[in-house]
Each structure stands twice: as C-alpha cells, then as structure tokens.
Amino acid sequence: MQKQTHCQDLVLIGGGHSHLVLLQQWAKQPLPGVRLTLVSPQVQSPYSPMVPGLIAGHYSHSDIHIDLPRLCRAAGARFIHACAHNIDPLENRVSLLGRPDLAFDFLSLAVGASPCHDIPGSELAVPVKPIGQFYRYWEQLKQQIQRKHQPLKLGIIGGGAGGCELAMAIACALEEPLYSGRVELYLVQSGRKIPADFPLLARRLAAREMSRLKIHAHTNWRVTEITSRGIYSDEGRFLALDKAMLCTESSAPPWLAQSGLAIDEHGFVQVDDYLRSISHPHIFAAGDVAATSAPQPKSSQAAQQQGPTLFHNVRAALQDTPLQAYRPRPSRLQRLSCGSQHAIATFSGLAAVSALFWHAKDRADRRFVDQVNHLPLSRFVRSGNVHAQNVEGENVLGDGALGVDLFDQALARLAQPVPKKASEETAIDRARSIALTTATSALELPSDKLLVQHTEQLCAPVQDPWLFGRLAAQHSLSHLFAVQAEPFSAQALVTLPTQLPNASPALASRDLQLILDGAARELNQYDCSLTGGQLLEGPAAQIGLTLNGSGDRASLAARNSVRAGDCLILTKPLGNGALFAAQAQGKAHARWLQQALDTMLQSNLTAANIFMRNGVRAMTSVHRAGLLGQILEMLHWHPQPVDGATQPAELSTLAVSVLTDALPFLTGATYCAEHAVLSYLHQHNARSYKAVQNPGFWQGKPHLPMLVDPQICGGLLGSVPAEHAEQCISALHAAGWRHAAVIGVVDTLTTENDAHAQTSAQPIYLATGSDWKKLAANRATVAL
C-alpha cells in the first residue's frame, strides 16, 4: 500500500527532459497530499533530438515542442511562467524574477545548461542554447540570406555530435546558397575527432556527408578569441567569419554558485547516487545541471534516462521510504542526423548511413512528443480547477477564526501605499445612489465628488495564484477606469478550494500570500491600498474585490450620452473566454494563452485617458456580458418583457452597425469558435443575439460566438465622435494598443413611431467591411 504523505509542496524548476518524464509518470501515479508545481521561463519545451530536423525544415515549430501548461494540467500540477534566479535551501524558497519568492518543501532542478562562454569575445557569438532564442535568430538569418543575396561566412564552434548535426541541418536548409558559393559554412573543433566520441567508421561517414554538403571542417582548431571579423586559434591562425555560433561544452547557470548548494568546479550541482544534492538532501537535480558521481556525457538521452529514477526518488522522499540509486545505461547504439532525411547509425564499432535510420529515429521522437502532449487530463482538473488529491479527514482552514488570522497575517506582509482620504467626510445618511452598471454604483458626496464602488467576483482562470491576483485586480480596476473614477482602497474576499492539499495553515498561507501579493502589485500602481478582507474555503479558488474610488460629479453624470454618427472603438481583441475554456479541455496551445495573458495584463487606464482626450461620450469595459452585451448596455436596450411581466422595457432610440470584418480577435480564438469550444457563460450571453436584426448574416460564419464571448480583463469600448475617431485610434496604437479598431457606428433606430415598435426593434446590425469613415458620415447625415 502507498504510504500516506503529509501535505507538502514539491516544486520543479525548469522544463528539462528529466522533468518531462517525471510529470508524465506523475500523471499516471499522482501522490495524494502533494501539491506539484512546475516553474519555467518558457511555456513550451523543445525536444532536443528533433532540433536539427527543425533547423533543416523537416519539422514545424509545434512538431518538436511540448506544451508545459497542458502537461501540468494532465499531471494535476500548477504551472508558473517565471524565471528562477536563486535558491535559499535553508529557508526553502526560490527567488523568481519580477515576482514574490515561491516556498517549497522539496525541490527538483532540471534547468539545463548553455554553451560555455569562457572564450574571450563569446558575447559576439550566438549560443545554440536556449534553443528558443537560437531558433528565432536562425529564422531571421534565413530571411536575411534569401533577401540580401550577399556573400556570407558562417561558423559553428564545437565539433561534437550536436555541432555536427547542427552544421548538416544548416547546410540542408541553405543548400542552394552553399552550392553556389554565396554562403560558406565552417565547423571548428578543438580536438582531432569530428564528431567526438564516435568510432572511426562513423567519423569517416560523417566527414563524407559534410564534404557532400559543402561544410568546411577544421580539426585541432582551439578557438582562443572571437571577434566581429572572425575567430583566432591558439596557434595564431585566423578564420574570417561574419557570424559565429557556439555549440561548445555546456556551462551551468551562474546563479547556482550563489545558491549555497554544493557545486563542482564547472558550477553544476553535485548529486549523490540518488540524484539528491550532497549538501541539501531535500533538493534534487537531474539532466545537464547535475554533476553525478559517475560522470557521463551531458545529453538529452542521459536526462531522459534519469527521469524515472528522479520520479521514484522524489516520491520516496515525500513518503520517507527507501530511494533507489541511479545507474546509467550506456547504449551501444548511436545515431547522427545528416541534415537530409537520413542518418548515421553506429553499433559496437560498426557504422552505416541510411534513410531507414532517420525514419526510425523520427518515429520514436514523434511518439514521445505525441504521448506527452496528449496525456489525458487529470480527473482533478477537468472542471477547470487544478489541485492535487486532498488528504482524507483534513480541513484547509479549520474554523473561521483561523481564516481571519491567516488573512491578517498575509495582509500585514504587503507593501501598501499611503491611502488617500477622498472619502473621509462622506455623509452616508444624505447619500443618493446613482446606478452606473449592474455591479457598480456611486454615492453622492460633498464637494462635487462621488464615491464610486465596484464589486467583482472572479474564479481563477490560471493555475498561478500570483498571476490570478494580478488578473483579478486589473479586471476590477477596469470598471473604475471606464467611469473615470480614481481608485483609492480595496477589500478582498479570497476563497481557497477545499480540495487543495493545504490542510496545514502554512500551505494555505502560501497561496493566500501569493494571491494578495499579485492583487496588491496592480492596485499599488494607482495608489490604491488593499485595506482588508476575509479568507473562506469553497469548491474553487476565487477572489472577490470591492474597489472604492472617487469621481467628478460632472463626468459621471455625462456618461452614456451616445449619439448617432459616433464610432465605437474597442481597445483589446476578443476571445479570452473561449481560450480559457479550451485550456480547461486541453485544447489550447500554450502560446495562445501566453499572448492572451500579455494582453489581459495591459492596464486600461492609459486607454481611458486617451478616450477622454478625444471627447468620448460613453465608455465601458468589456467583461462577462461580452461585446454585444456591453453595446446593448451602452444603448440602454432591454428586450421586451416575457412571461406576463408588467415591467415595461426601457426605450431605445439608437442602433449600432457592427463592422464584422474590423473585429480584433486573440490568436486561437477563432479556432475555438470553429470547433465549438466556448465558455460556460456563452449560452447565457447568447440571449444578446435577440437584439441582432440580421442574425442569419453571420450564423454561417465561425466568428459569431466571439460577439458574446465573456472577457476577463477585456478592453474598453468607447463611443467617440466620428471626427475624433481616427486621431483616437492613432493615439491608442502609439500607446501600445495595436489591436484597437473602430468596430461599429451608432445610428438612429429605424422603427415605427409607437412605443411597442421601439421596444421590440433590434438595435444591432451586422455589417460587412471595415470602412467606418463612409458609414459614419452617412449616419451623421441621417441624424441631422
């Protein structure tokens, strides 16, 4: 039987191959009571054996990359997109760039390595690792070669298997420029053997293949200096190069030297036979970053071999059961990709080159990537909440007093701005309530000011608690920015899921602290203090924020004065509701979500100020009601009462022509719409379709669901006079809102003159094209 564990945090740093194997096996055998977290600066991890094929053009970018957030969801783990830059093994904390530290009970490192930079002038060369950066450089270099048609000399420093495969892949991709002589490719190796560690026959076959591909190989050429003109050897020889690429022996991340962990002379973490740090046994290391007691070449194959042992030993350490020693399994079979779709295979000194060897390797590599990328989602995340199994009979927060204490302690650790005193003299007894939106209201105050309050409850759309806090704050702040109110204080109601394995107050406190830190980070930018709140437990992680702000009476009273001929401008693309739904179903690409999150974290304050300078008549933030819902709110439109209701609907005299071709969408959003991957709120928001005059126009098009897609941290929708629209768009683009566009033009509602016709008419018309200038001029003329 599996031994029961205490509730603990296991943190993995880096998306290296060892951690890929660990997560793959964890998805099949999760450990109750353990919260697993992966921290990585990349959302996609390249599978190293397929990189030469990517460079040669045999694979697409998605073919060789593993989606880390999805893998974490399959394993029931959290994914945190961040870069680690230090470890405190005594306090059990990982320092992350640009965000609070992350606490752990056990830690594992698989951060990889990079080419050695000991050569003087190495900063002038392009390192092959990290692969993501090198691939971007390679794509730019290919375009430059194809566009400029100028002579170019390329050099690769390092003649190991990786350097040889890279050289032959580049030669395959640049076949025409190399054969014409316009591009020259050099491979430089310090030793006598190319590739090193291969038998004689394999080296001869590799030399023949490189000669056929017009690669100039130089042995016994130890590089002592890299300059902008070329490279120098230890014998004083000079090789002229325009571009140099580093594929030398690996070096460890420099921050490890400051971590307090035992490291070897090259900076790698020294581990014992169980892959544990010899100085701190609760910290593990595997792959290139680990210095094992039995040295072996640093390769993706070795890292993968360590994965199962790492998985077993981490679980054993968590359960306090015996560990097993890692024993390298040397393989007598070696393969070397030769650029085109064939490879050299060597076994027990024998070697041959054939397309069969490449295709066999291709099948094995594709199988691994496909298996990892298509693991079934954990039963703990299908509902959209990511957590590990709970330990039976334990409570997250205990009684209510414990929750209050945890919140007070977390709040006391926040850095807060000095609160503003805009509402000190509020006379609540004499206040007059003015409704602004469904969840936002204002109270009349003395001295021509109104207290603006907004309350918003948000379920966690992401696994990272700190990022969740940031998103919740930005989502709530947008409502105040839209009514030109200045926030000055906030209170938070935080709900932690009962299924989390944080039965101990210490683990609950970690999540709470990160959520409040994230929220306070955004609030503090606007001198808004988080002054209090409460901690509860529930079925899912949530945060409710009540924001207080002050606004000018005249500005608030002038809201929603939309006029015929106005242009509706949307500042951010649509679709994040569908993308989060796709993420919950394991159908979203990591790059889609990352681009969406970058857009969501863009503050709407600057956009609101630009709208104000351009005479905005009405402004709202696009949120859970979707774009159509916000347009209808702006028009004060409500459907005709049903089911015998006697309350009359509010009259509307305006309509909007929505320019369907001008609507901006997030990458991947239209794919989700085409495949019916939609938010659970979509069906509720679809009631807004009743306001569309010509629904049949767009019903056959896949973009229709995006009109009612609920948004988190959505953009602002502003009604701007047509004469200011072009200037407003230019200002938004210049300020970073590159998706900002005129998406509609306001018109007078065409109906009969009786009230029934007005209440039953549909004020939304879906128009083709994106030429808003002509349409706005026509609408303004009709209005006059």
Side-chain angles (χ1 to χ4, degrees):
M1 292 181 60
Q2 183 169 267
K3 184 175 179 179
Q4 184 64 65
T5 63
H6 299 293
C7 298
Q8 298 177 90
D9 268 322
L10 168 60
V11 176
L12 312 180
I13 304 296
H17 292 57
S18 300
H19 282 170
L20 298 181
V21 175
L22 185 152
L23 286 165
Q24 185 184 20
Q25 297 195 8
W26 195 282
K28 301 172 183 176
Q29 291 181 272
L31 187 61
V34 176
R35 180 170 56 188
L36 180 60
T37 303
L38 173 67
V39 178
S40 172
Q42 290 90 29
V43 295
Q44 293 179 304
S45 177
Y47 186 51
S48 298
M50 300 177 76
V51 170
L54 175 69
I55 301 300
H58 306 319
Y59 302 124
S60 68
H61 184 273
S62 59
D63 286 338
I64 77 158
H65 280 83
I66 290 167
D67 190 317
L68 294 179
R70 193 198 181 284
L71 175 58
C72 286
R73 295 182 70 81
R78 301 187 303 181
F79 176 76
I80 292 180
H81 184 214
C83 182
H85 70 103
N86 203 3
I87 297 171
D88 187 337
L90 300 179
E91 295 294 330
N92 285 0
R93 306 189 74 83
V94 179
S95 296
L96 306 177
L97 287 174
R99 53 175 294 153
D101 293 352
L102 187 66
F104 65 86
D105 297 298
F106 284 86
L107 184 75
S108 178
L109 296 169
V111 294
S114 58
C116 186
H117 288 78
D118 291 343
I119 303 172
S122 58
E123 67 278 2
L124 299 174
V126 180
V128 175
K129 293 182 180 180
I131 292 168
Q133 294 181 11
F134 176 77
Y135 181 67
R136 287 191 290 272
Y137 167 80
W138 166 244
E139 288 293 295
Q140 295 171 359
L141 181 61
K142 273 199 310 182
Q143 294 175 8
Q144 175 187 332
I145 292 171
Q146 294 166 2
R147 186 176 59 251
K148 293 189 175 180
H149 295 281
Q150 295 177 348
L152 188 68
K153 292 185 177 181
L154 302 177
I156 297 172
I157 303 173
C164 291
E165 287 190 325
L166 178 64
M168 288 188 278
I170 289 176
C172 181
L174 301 179
E175 183 178 8
E176 187 278 327
L178 279 169
Y179 272 85
S180 67
R182 180 164 59 87
V183 173
E184 297 178 28
L185 182 60
Y186 296 87
L187 178 64
V188 178
Q189 164 71 333
S190 59
R192 295 186 300 105
K193 300 177 180 180
I194 296 183
D197 302 322
F198 271 67
L200 176 62
L201 183 54
R203 295 200 304 271
R204 287 177 176 174
L205 290 174
R208 188 185 70 184
E209 292 297 317
M210 286 190 281
S211 175
R212 180 180 61 83
L213 292 168
K214 306 295 183 183
I215 299 171
H216 305 286
H218 293 271
T219 57
N220 292 323
W221 224 100
R222 184 178 298 279
V223 178
T224 56
E225 185 181 4
I226 302 173
T227 70
S228 58
R229 297 182 298 108
I231 56 176
Y232 288 91
S233 75
D234 56 352
E235 297 177 349
R237 290 178 291 175
F238 176 74
L239 177 61
L241 295 175
D242 298 301
K243 307 284 185 182
M245 306 174 198
L246 275 180
C247 197
T248 54
E249 292 183 357
S250 298
S251 64
W255 55 267
L256 284 174
Q258 311 300 322
S259 65
L261 299 175
I263 58 176
D264 67 4
E265 64 274 15
H266 302 294
F268 296 104
V269 178
Q270 289 184 296
V271 296
D272 59 17
D273 290 343
Y274 307 105
L275 302 179
R276 298 179 304 181
S277 166
I278 62 173
S279 58
H280 299 83
H282 64 299
I283 296 178
F284 292 78
D288 289 354
V289 77
T292 57
S293 55
Q296 62 180 131
K298 296 187 182 299
S299 66
S300 59
Q301 183 181 15
Q304 277 183 262
Q305 282 186 8
Q306 292 171 0
T309 303
L310 179 66
F311 169 73
H312 176 275
N313 288 345
V314 164
R315 287 172 59 94
L318 287 161
Q319 298 177 94
D320 197 21
T321 58
L323 282 66
Q324 68 180 22
Y326 168 68
R327 295 288 180 259
R329 300 187 305 275
S331 174
R332 291 185 292 175
L333 175 65
Q334 293 176 286
R335 283 182 291 207
L336 190 77
S337 296
C338 297
S340 55
Q341 293 187 359
H342 61 284
I344 297 171
T346 175
F347 183 82
S348 298
L350 301 177
V353 58
S354 171
L356 294 176
F357 301 143
W358 188 90
H359 287 291
K361 177 181 179 298
D362 172 62
R363 284 193 298 272
D365 292 342
R366 286 183 183 271
R367 188 185 309 116
F368 176 80
V369 173
D370 185 69
Q371 287 176 347
V372 176
N373 274 335
H374 294 91
L375 284 170
L377 290 185
S378 166
R379 61 185 180 275
F380 307 113
V381 300
R382 287 171 187 157
S383 63
N385 300 319
V386 179
H387 51 81
Q389 291 171 297
N390 193 23
V391 179
E392 183 179 356
E394 295 185 332
N395 194 335
V396 174
L397 304 177
D399 56 25
L402 178 56
V404 173
D405 291 343
L406 288 179
F407 195 98
D408 290 343
Q409 293 165 12
L411 192 65
R413 287 191 285 265
L414 296 180
Q416 297 278 20
V418 178
K420 295 187 177 181
K421 300 182 179 181
S423 60
E424 279 188 348
E425 300 179 6
T426 300
I428 299 298
D429 294 337
R430 296 183 287 108
R432 179 170 61 89
S433 179
I434 301 175
L436 299 177
T437 64
T438 304
T440 307
S441 62
L443 295 175
E444 185 177 2
L445 300 176
S447 68
D448 297 325
K449 291 288 184 180
L450 292 178
L451 171 66
V452 181
Q453 294 181 315
H454 177 80
T455 299
E456 189 81 22
Q457 184 86 3
L458 187 65
C459 287
V462 293
Q463 305 163 5
D464 180 350
W466 183 74
L467 181 57
F468 173 37
R470 293 185 64 192
L471 292 173
Q474 280 294 352
H475 185 71
S476 298
L477 284 165
S478 292
H479 293 272
L480 266 65
F481 297 153
V483 297
Q484 300 111 59
E486 186 178 1
F488 58 82
S489 70
Q491 289 203 326
L493 182 65
V494 179
T495 302
L496 292 180
T498 54
Q499 299 92 342
L500 275 169
N502 45 358
S504 72
L507 267 67
S509 178
R510 291 174 184 177
D511 271 1
L512 177 64
Q513 190 69 57
L514 288 172
I515 290 173
L516 295 185
D517 275 336
R521 180 189 188 277
E522 302 302 317
L523 296 172
N524 290 353
Q525 295 183 56
Y526 312 103
D527 295 322
C528 182
S529 298
L530 186 58
T531 58
Q534 190 175 1
L535 176 61
L536 302 174
E537 59 180 358
Q542 299 182 62
I543 182 170
L545 284 174
T546 298
L547 266 63
N548 300 315
S550 63
D552 293 330
R553 185 188 307 276
S555 298
L556 294 171
R559 293 188 74 248
N560 289 344
S561 55
V562 182
R563 299 180 188 175
D566 283 357
C567 293
L568 295 186
I569 296 177
L570 179 64
T571 60
K572 290 184 181 181
L574 304 169
N576 63 51
L579 290 178
F580 285 122
Q583 176 185 251
Q585 298 178 33
K587 297 178 180 179
H589 294 297
R591 63 181 184 276
W592 294 353
L593 269 300
Q594 193 52 50
Q595 291 173 11
L597 289 170
D598 291 342
T599 301
M600 293 163 67
L601 289 172
Q602 192 174 18
S603 171
N604 280 322
L605 178 59
T606 304
N609 291 336
I610 291 173
F611 273 130
M612 291 297 295
R613 291 196 296 269
N614 286 276
V616 67
R617 302 190 203 273
M619 186 165 42
T620 184
S621 104
V622 181
H623 51 96
R624 64 180 63 200
L627 178 63
L628 277 191
Q630 299 307 128
I631 292 177
L632 295 176
E633 180 181 307
M634 191 176 283
L635 298 179
H636 296 288
W637 187 89
H638 299 278
Q640 186 177 7
V642 295
D643 299 332
T646 57
Q647 179 67 31
E650 185 175 347
L651 301 184
S652 176
T653 60
L654 297 174
V656 170
S657 295
V658 177
L659 301 170
T660 57
D661 295 334
L663 291 171
F665 300 111
L666 289 165
T667 304
T670 54
Y671 172 89
C672 294
E674 290 169 5
H675 292 79
V677 180
L678 303 171
S679 167
Y680 74 96
L681 282 176
H682 177 268
Q683 186 173 0
H684 176 273
N685 291 351
R687 297 183 299 176
S688 298
Y689 290 145
K690 296 177 182 178
V692 178
Q693 298 176 23
N694 57 335
F697 163 72
W698 230 26
Q699 281 179 351
K701 298 189 177 182
H703 308 115
L704 179 65
M706 292 299 98
L707 285 172
V708 295
D709 188 54
Q711 302 298 285
I712 299 174
C713 302
L716 294 182
L717 180 68
S719 179
V720 175
E723 60 269 22
H724 296 160
E726 190 167 8
Q727 177 181 333
C728 184
I729 289 292
S730 297
L732 286 168
H733 288 173
W737 276 264
R738 59 188 181 90
H739 296 284
V742 175
I743 57 91
V745 176
V746 182
D747 190 9
T748 303
L749 186 62
T750 304
T751 67
E752 301 293 336
N753 291 325
D754 60 276
H756 175 75
Q758 281 192 323
T759 58
S760 62
Q762 291 83 13
I764 302 293
Y765 179 79
L766 302 178
T768 57
S770 57
D771 187 1
W772 59 269
K773 296 181 182 179
K774 182 177 179 180
L775 187 59
N778 291 341
R779 298 297 184 261
T781 302
V782 172
L784 290 174

